[in-house]
Amino acid sequence: MDIIADILLAAGALGAGFYCLVLSRRLKRFNDLEKGVGGAVAVLSSQVDDLNKSLQSAQQVSDGSSKALQQLTGRAESVAQRLELMMASMHDIPEARPAAPVAEPVAEDEEMAAAYEAESKPAEEIQEEVKPSGLMFVRHNRSQNRVA
């Protein structure tokens, strides 16, 4: 009986050794840096580093663009204020009338000339009647227009 127990014990030890050998070979292939998961992990790690570097450079560029845009917006607002002031001062100046009368178009037929004058007079009268009155520009509250 002891001999059978020893044989079974030796067979179990040989089976466990063979199983460990197979597992070690699989683990070596699994962690191989060229073909296995270890290689994939190494490649992904390098890609993550590259993405971090490109993200940092993109953030720096966007910060620079944001600062430039803020400066340009400030300049545009100051120019808009000056233009509003100029337009307000121009509103008080009377309109200049042309010194020389506008030459009438040459028409071969008197009826065509009469029709032309009849069509052109109402447009001139409409232009003279319509004059801007009141404020030309309205300044809005800037705190409401800011973008976060």
Side-chain angles (χ1 to χ4, degrees), residues 61-98:
V61 168
S62 69
D63 289 342
S65 297
S66 175
K67 289 178 183 176
L69 186 59
Q70 286 176 352
Q71 290 174 349
L72 288 173
T73 303
R75 286 179 52 200
E77 286 177 355
S78 66
V79 168
Q81 289 174 353
R82 286 190 292 173
L83 282 174
E84 288 174 0
L85 182 62
M86 286 181 189
M87 289 300 291
S89 66
M90 293 291 292
H91 186 66
D92 297 336
I93 297 175
E95 291 185 20
R97 301 285 180 200

